[in-house]
Amino acid sequence: MPLESKKRHSFYEWCRRGEPLIWINAAAVSLSAIAVVGLLVLLMVRGFGHFWPADVMQAQYQPHGDSATRLIGEQVQVESVPIEQLRSAGFTIDTNEVFLDRQLIKKGNRDVTGADFGWVLSLYLSDISYPDDIMVLERREWGNFYGFLREVKEAGSVVASGDSAWAEFESRLERAQLLFEQIEKIEKKDIGAINYKIEKLRLRERGLELDEDMSPARRAEKEAVIAAERAELDNEYRAYQQQLIELYGQINRDSIVAEVASGQQVELPLAKIVHAYKPNAMGIGGKILFYIAKFWEFLSDEPREANTEGGIFPAIFGTVVMVIIMSIIVTPFGVVAAVYLREYARQGLMTRIIRIAVNNLAGVPSIVYGVFGLGFFIYFLGSEIDQVFFPEALPAPTFGTPGLLWASLTLALLTLPVVIVATEEGLSRIPKALREGSLALGATKAETLWRVVLPMTSPAMMTGLILAVARAAGEVAPLMLVGVVKLAPTLPVNGNFPYFHLDQKFMHLGFHIYDVGFQSPNVEAARPLVYATALLLVVIIALLNLSAVALRNHLREKYKALEI
């Protein structure tokens, strides 16, 4: 056989064995794995690197033909830009280079300069240094502050300056933070609880007005009880108000004087400062401890500064609670529907139409489910619930407004086809001999279903639940219509009866990413939090799925012998 024919025969034999398809699949899987790992690395570097205390640069910046200015800030990004692009933007550049490097500098001091970030050309930077005495202040408003500490004041009088100012500043800042925690506790928890009770009293009064069958004596007795309770709550409220006045007087006592890059000195109240540190003077150990503290704050604290600072705990909590409620709702309904279609329904034209409809529902855009949830659950069902159970609160809605319950129900409806299809597939794989053996031993059909069929189908149910959780946790579009808000004042679980408030709006990680990434006025400050929040959402979905996978594998091993 000629050599060319042998090669052709080998190639045909190689294709016949299906090896090209194997290599194509392997390449596709490898590319997918590389893409996923690359995405996770990008999110981790861009997001979690935000919490590292970067060194702060001081330099002289003098563009061509302009006077020199002092620049203080963190280097955020470096990129090469065509020189023609810079010249078309109005820069006068005297160089023969084709590309120039420019740096994005986080300058902070938005209340002084008007912008947190600014681009500078590396060509015009000189006298670059990293002084140890540059301080960074993380504030409750106006973002970061970069400068030099000059004085510490108490009630307008200077109490420390020079080298001794930093130690005095740190001790007084710790005091101010303790006072702020007391103020926050009184305002959010104590006064919040009183306001909640006062609102309940108002609703009770309104209920008395609506109850026309109540006798005048009984009505007067109940009104007297309500008046006494309100008077007691008013006294508690006034006591807390007096405490707040005293605490605000104490926390506003101290302030500092700091010098910015331009040489201007500004006075900053300690009540507005969250953290203060000198990154250039910190060692690697100090930076690691600071990083851990900042990362924990990101996980456990509430957002501030239009969600571009602080933490995202309310969004984490809302996402997890919503997914759990959705899972509790969708699993029994999906299993019951699948059992009926596979075990009880007559297998005919109508059953096939229903299965086609279920499969088609899995492909409906999620925003359509959001519109349905808004129209049916909120405007119809929620309004009817308000009319029957909460007439005293009308016209203010209780369940007739977007909330946690309606968001969970909408996502349960969205993921229901996935659970039905997965459970049906599991039911179809149960050998017919097992059913017949159970019936032959005297078990009823219901007992066979409950004790034999459903336990063996549980791995398939868990598969459906895993797919449902993976889809529901990342949905944003329908949630914007049925319960998610940019900032929720309280968690849906708190100390006020009935403790679990299904009617309350909540925060969600997916919507938080959308809001911070596309609605924030300070894009550069929000970008790292978008990466960090996205990675955290991926991690939470992975943890939920891994828990379900572990349970599914356990169930699969438990019933493997029966399948054999």
Side-chain angles (χ1 to χ4, degrees):
M1 181 181 294
L3 180 61
E4 184 178 347
S5 299
K6 287 183 178 180
K7 289 182 178 180
R8 189 180 300 112
H9 177 75
S10 301
F11 178 76
Y12 289 154
E13 185 66 21
W14 184 68
C15 293
R16 190 180 64 81
R17 292 197 304 266
E19 299 224 5
L21 186 60
I22 295 174
W23 282 98
I24 291 172
N25 289 337
V29 171
S30 300
L31 289 175
S32 300
I34 292 172
V36 170
V37 172
L39 175 63
L40 294 177
V41 171
L42 174 66
L43 294 177
M44 187 176 298
V45 172
R46 292 288 184 89
F48 290 170
H50 169 69
F51 307 110
W52 184 260
D55 291 338
V56 180
M57 173 185 68
Q58 176 181 263
Q60 293 293 321
Y61 184 60
Q62 187 176 9
H64 184 75
D66 295 339
S67 58
T69 58
R70 184 169 62 162
L71 179 68
I72 296 176
E74 298 178 19
Q75 184 187 85
V76 177
Q77 182 181 344
V78 180
E79 66 179 21
S80 294
V81 182
I83 196 169
E84 292 301 326
Q85 178 181 336
L86 296 173
R87 285 173 176 163
S88 64
F91 287 93
T92 304
I93 302 174
D94 186 14
T95 180
N96 295 324
E97 299 289 336
V98 179
F99 289 89
L100 283 182
D101 288 342
R102 67 173 183 175
Q103 303 179 22
L104 179 63
I105 304 296
K106 185 177 181 179
K107 303 179 293 184
N109 306 357
R110 189 167 73 245
D111 50 336
V112 178
T113 62
D116 274 321
F117 294 81
W119 289 96
V120 298
L121 297 177
S122 303
L123 177 67
Y124 300 124
L125 287 174
S126 61
D127 299 332
I128 298 176
S129 61
Y130 295 87
D132 289 346
D133 57 341
I134 291 182
M135 68 174 181
V136 180
L137 306 179
E138 185 179 336
R139 300 180 289 180
R140 305 188 194 281
E141 299 175 354
W142 298 107
N144 282 8
F145 179 92
Y146 299 89
F148 300 90
L149 178 64
R150 296 304 182 215
E151 297 175 344
V152 179
K153 291 185 176 182
E154 178 181 326
S157 301
V158 177
V159 294
S161 61
D163 295 337
S164 62
W166 182 255
E168 185 69 23
F169 169 48
E170 285 187 313
S171 64
R172 291 174 180 263
L173 178 60
E174 184 177 355
R175 168 187 173 274
Q177 289 173 341
L178 292 174
L179 291 172
F180 181 82
E181 291 175 1
Q182 296 178 36
I183 291 173
E184 191 174 40
K185 176 181 177 299
I186 292 175
E187 289 181 339
K188 290 190 173 182
K189 293 185 178 180
D190 299 331
I191 292 183
I194 290 176
N195 288 334
Y196 182 82
K197 292 175 182 177
I198 290 176
E199 175 63 14
K200 289 297 182 182
L201 290 180
R202 186 191 70 80
L203 294 178
R204 283 167 57 186
E205 279 186 332
R206 176 62 178 162
L208 292 178
E209 295 175 2
L210 297 176
D211 191 354
E212 299 177 354
D213 298 331
M214 185 177 294
S215 63
R218 182 63 174 168
R219 187 188 305 274
E221 180 183 348
K222 286 184 174 291
E223 288 176 348
V225 172
I226 292 174
E229 292 181 8
R230 177 177 281 109
E232 184 178 350
L233 292 174
D234 288 341
N235 291 333
E236 291 183 25
Y237 183 84
R238 283 191 291 269
Y240 283 128
Q241 284 291 97
Q242 185 60 38
Q243 290 183 38
L244 285 177
I245 293 173
E246 295 174 0
L247 289 172
Y248 272 114
Q250 296 178 35
I251 198 173
N252 291 324
R253 184 195 70 179
D254 298 330
S255 62
I256 61 170
V257 176
E259 180 182 321
V260 298
S262 63
Q264 176 186 354
Q265 292 193 350
V266 296
E267 186 170 348
L268 304 171
L270 265 63
K272 301 297 183 181
I273 299 174
V274 182
H275 298 294
Y277 58 100
K278 294 181 177 180
N280 297 346
M282 297 169 66
I284 186 65
K287 288 192 174 185
I288 291 175
L289 291 176
F290 183 88
Y291 178 87
I292 294 173
K294 285 290 294 179
F295 185 70
W296 174 249
E297 178 186 306
F298 175 69
L299 296 178
S300 61
D301 206 355
E302 296 180 355
R304 58 178 184 273
E305 278 286 299
N307 290 345
T308 60
E309 298 287 346
I312 57 169
F313 177 73
I316 297 173
F317 189 87
T319 303
V320 173
V321 170
M322 182 204 68
V323 168
I324 291 174
I325 296 175
M326 181 273 301
S327 302
I328 294 173
I329 295 172
V330 73
T331 303
F333 280 97
V335 170
V336 168
V339 167
Y340 176 76
L341 289 175
R342 177 61 59 177
E343 302 291 330
Y344 290 96
R346 179 177 296 176
Q347 303 303 310
L349 177 63
M350 182 59 66
T351 306
R352 290 197 296 271
I353 292 174
I354 292 174
R355 285 199 178 95
I356 293 173
V358 169
N359 291 328
N360 288 337
L361 283 175
V364 173
S366 58
I367 189 64
V368 176
Y369 286 97
V371 173
F372 176 81
L374 181 66
F376 179 75
F377 290 135
I378 297 173
Y379 290 158
F380 174 71
L381 190 59
S383 297
E384 291 299 320
I385 291 175
D386 285 350
Q387 292 285 346
V388 176
F389 296 102
F390 305 99
E392 65 278 2
L394 295 175
T398 302
F399 279 94
T401 185
L404 177 60
L405 175 62
W406 305 133
S408 302
L409 280 173
T410 301
L411 289 187
L413 192 63
L414 186 149
T415 56
L416 184 62
V418 177
V419 178
I420 293 175
V421 171
T423 305
E424 264 209 276
E425 289 296 324
L427 290 169
S428 65
R429 290 198 299 266
I430 304 300
K432 187 177 180 181
L434 287 176
R435 295 180 173 86
E436 294 174 347
S438 176
L439 294 172
L441 291 173
T444 63
K445 186 172 183 178
E447 290 173 336
T448 300
L449 182 67
W450 184 254
R451 296 180 179 275
V452 177
V453 176
L454 286 183
M456 295 185 64
T457 314
S458 55
M461 299 178 195
M462 295 306 301
T463 299
L465 183 60
I466 291 168
L467 297 174
V469 168
R471 182 176 182 187
E475 286 292 346
V476 176
L479 297 180
M480 295 169 65
L481 301 176
V482 293
V484 166
V485 290
K486 175 178 180 177
L487 183 64
T490 58
L491 296 176
V493 178
N494 54 41
N496 298 323
F497 184 82
Y499 312 118
F500 199 71
H501 305 276
L502 293 175
D503 60 310
Q504 190 168 304
K505 296 178 177 63
F506 65 103
M507 296 181 67
H508 183 270
L509 284 172
F511 183 77
H512 187 81
I513 293 170
Y514 164 76
D515 176 69
V516 174
F518 299 98
Q519 303 296 315
S520 174
N522 196 349
V523 178
E524 297 296 342
R527 183 175 295 148
L529 292 183
V530 172
Y531 288 113
T533 307
L535 180 59
L536 195 61
L537 178 59
V538 171
V539 169
I540 288 176
I541 294 174
L543 289 176
L544 291 171
N545 285 344
L546 287 175
S547 302
V549 167
L551 180 58
R552 181 189 64 184
N553 292 341
H554 171 73
L555 294 172
R556 185 173 291 166
E557 290 295 326
K558 182 177 179 181
Y559 298 110
K560 182 181 293 184
L562 290 177
E563 293 178 1
I564 295 175

